Amino acid sequence: MIQPSTLKQLSETLGLSISTVSRALKNHPDIAERTKQRVRELATVMEYEPNSLAVQLRTKHNNVLGILVPTINNFFYDSFIAAVEEDARAHDYSVLIMQSMDDLTLEKNNLNLFRKNRVAGLFASISIATEDITPFHKFNELQIPLVFFDRVPVKDVCNKVCFEDEATARVAAEAIIGKKKKNVLALFGHPHLSITQKRLDAFRETFAGQAPDTRITYAFPEQSLPAREVTLAALDKADRPDAIFCMGDLILMGVMSAIHAAKLRVPEDIAVISISNGLLPTVYDPKITHVETSGYKLGKKAFEQMLNRLHGAEAVEEVLVRSVLVEGGSL
């Protein structure tokens, strides 16, 4: 294997000191332009590349940003990562991605790996089991910017980027009420998550205030298979629901699978509305009416906040991203 050229080899070839070669490569104003040109030309010929590990040890940081997500196998987090990686590349950063799988031990181990790799900053969406964010505080102690996104700590004062969860659920509830639906199956995510609790409370309050006579059955299937089973059971009843609310894309997948298995028509036989990243609703016919919570848009906002931290901003900031109703033909 060909070994990369070193500063020492460049200096010996040019008859210059290592410090002069190093400063020339950094375009230092004390080095003559002619010398800089000679050094650059030789560096190109000899395929010299800076030792990133040495730079990391010297400066105590690198140009890698960490992203911690519950799972990569999710439309929302996939698009969030794409947005962050896109902006990171434009600002000469790369990304290191790890997933907690909603396991507290794995989450802590991943945080240790991010610290050992001296990431320049960390984006984190906490696991279902996370209640104490003390392990995350170590990043602040090391002066490593930390931005929580989507699943964020509720009570702690920290940098956060998330959707207006109450408004998101309220918009969905009002859309159902506007269609005068009277028997609703409302499927939410894991009840332990703050994002679920906020959306559930807002959904209930909206119906209590605007359509108190509506019958609502609540369930928390979280994933597509449980959502399919809950929906099939509901559709098998004599008083089956006339509308189904899905808190996320995985739930929507299970619901639509059950509706197709029951050979029901949307929206003639049953109406559907979802909170969604935006892609999945477009693959069905008719398209699913949804409240868009775009992982891509959230990623853009999160990177903007991270860049402010990297440039020295110290004020703690909570950014709320607005959700919008996207009309389909399912409601």
Side-chain angles (χ1 to χ4, degrees):
M1 183 173 65
I2 299 175
Q3 296 296 320
S5 301
T6 64
L7 283 176
K8 183 178 180 182
Q9 290 171 329
L10 292 178
S11 69
E12 289 175 348
T13 303
L14 292 166
L16 300 171
S17 68
I18 292 177
S19 63
T20 298
V21 172
S22 177
R23 285 184 293 163
L25 289 171
K26 295 176 182 176
N27 199 29
H28 197 284
D30 290 346
I31 306 299
E33 288 300 322
R34 173 58 184 160
T35 301
K36 292 178 185 176
Q37 184 178 347
R38 290 177 58 210
V39 172
R40 291 171 188 147
E41 289 175 351
L42 183 63
T44 300
V45 171
M46 296 181 67
E47 298 183 351
Y48 167 77
E49 292 183 4
N51 187 328
S52 59
L53 179 59
V55 172
Q56 177 181 332
L57 292 172
R58 184 172 65 253
T59 62
K60 297 186 179 180
H61 71 275
N62 60 26
N63 65 338
V64 176
L65 297 172
I67 305 178
L68 178 62
V69 295
T71 177
I72 296 175
N73 185 24
N74 180 294
F75 297 127
F76 177 84
Y77 292 121
D78 180 64
S79 57
F80 176 90
I81 290 169
V84 170
E85 195 278 333
E86 183 178 279
D87 283 356
R89 190 175 349 107
H91 288 84
D92 296 322
Y93 286 93
S94 55
V95 297
L96 174 62
I97 305 160
M98 295 186 185
Q99 50 186 344
S100 68
M101 305 303 294
D102 280 324
D103 180 270
L104 198 56
T105 299
L106 184 55
E107 181 177 75
K108 290 179 179 178
N109 290 341
N110 287 340
L111 292 176
N112 289 333
L113 287 172
F114 282 127
R115 290 198 303 273
K116 288 179 180 179
N117 281 277
R118 299 175 185 268
V119 293
L122 176 65
F123 300 93
S125 184
I126 61 177
S127 72
I128 289 174
T130 302
E131 294 182 354
D132 179 13
I133 67 166
T134 299
F136 291 91
H137 289 325
K138 294 181 181 179
F139 288 86
N140 294 326
E141 295 169 5
L142 295 170
Q143 296 185 322
I144 297 173
L146 172 61
V147 174
F148 289 100
F149 70 96
D150 188 43
R151 296 185 187 176
V152 302
V154 178
K155 299 178 180 178
D156 300 83
V157 178
C158 50
N159 293 304
K160 308 174 187 178
V161 180
C162 52
F163 287 98
E164 296 177 330
D165 291 316
E166 292 90 346
T168 298
R170 194 175 301 115
V171 167
E174 289 175 346
I176 297 172
I177 293 170
K179 295 295 183 179
K180 304 186 185 308
K181 301 301 179 181
K182 297 301 181 183
N183 186 2
V184 179
L185 175 62
L187 304 181
F188 286 82
H190 198 288
H192 181 76
L193 291 172
S194 64
I195 188 173
T196 300
Q197 295 165 5
K198 289 180 180 179
R199 291 176 175 178
L200 176 62
D201 290 345
F203 194 86
R204 280 175 168 160
E205 289 171 4
T206 302
F207 272 96
Q210 300 183 29
D213 295 333
T214 304
R215 177 183 175 183
I216 306 176
T217 303
Y218 293 95
F220 303 86
E222 187 182 3
Q223 300 294 326
S224 58
L225 183 57
R228 184 179 192 274
E229 293 172 349
V230 169
T231 305
L232 282 173
L235 296 179
D236 194 43
K237 296 179 180 179
D239 59 341
R240 73 183 184 205
D242 56 10
I244 302 179
F245 164 77
C246 312
M247 196 184 101
D249 280 328
L250 291 178
I251 294 174
L252 175 60
M253 288 174 62
V255 166
M256 294 306 295
S257 175
I259 289 174
H260 290 158
K263 294 181 170 50
L264 296 177
R265 299 167 300 164
V266 176
E268 291 85 358
D269 300 322
I270 190 164
V272 179
I273 184 172
S274 180
I275 295 175
S276 173
N277 187 47
L279 174 62
L280 188 62
T282 66
V283 306
Y284 295 105
D285 184 19
K287 292 181 174 63
I288 306 299
T289 295
H290 62 283
V291 185
E292 185 190 64
T293 53
S294 167
Y296 186 84
K297 290 180 181 178
L298 197 72
K300 292 290 184 179
K301 287 291 185 181
F303 187 85
E304 182 180 318
Q305 190 181 98
M306 176 61 74
L307 203 58
N308 290 338
R309 306 276 86 75
L310 292 169
H311 289 168
E314 296 181 357
V316 175
E317 186 179 13
E318 181 172 357
V319 176
L320 296 177
V321 179
R322 183 169 173 252
S323 303
V324 295
L325 179 68
V326 180
E327 295 282 0
S330 65
L331 192 62

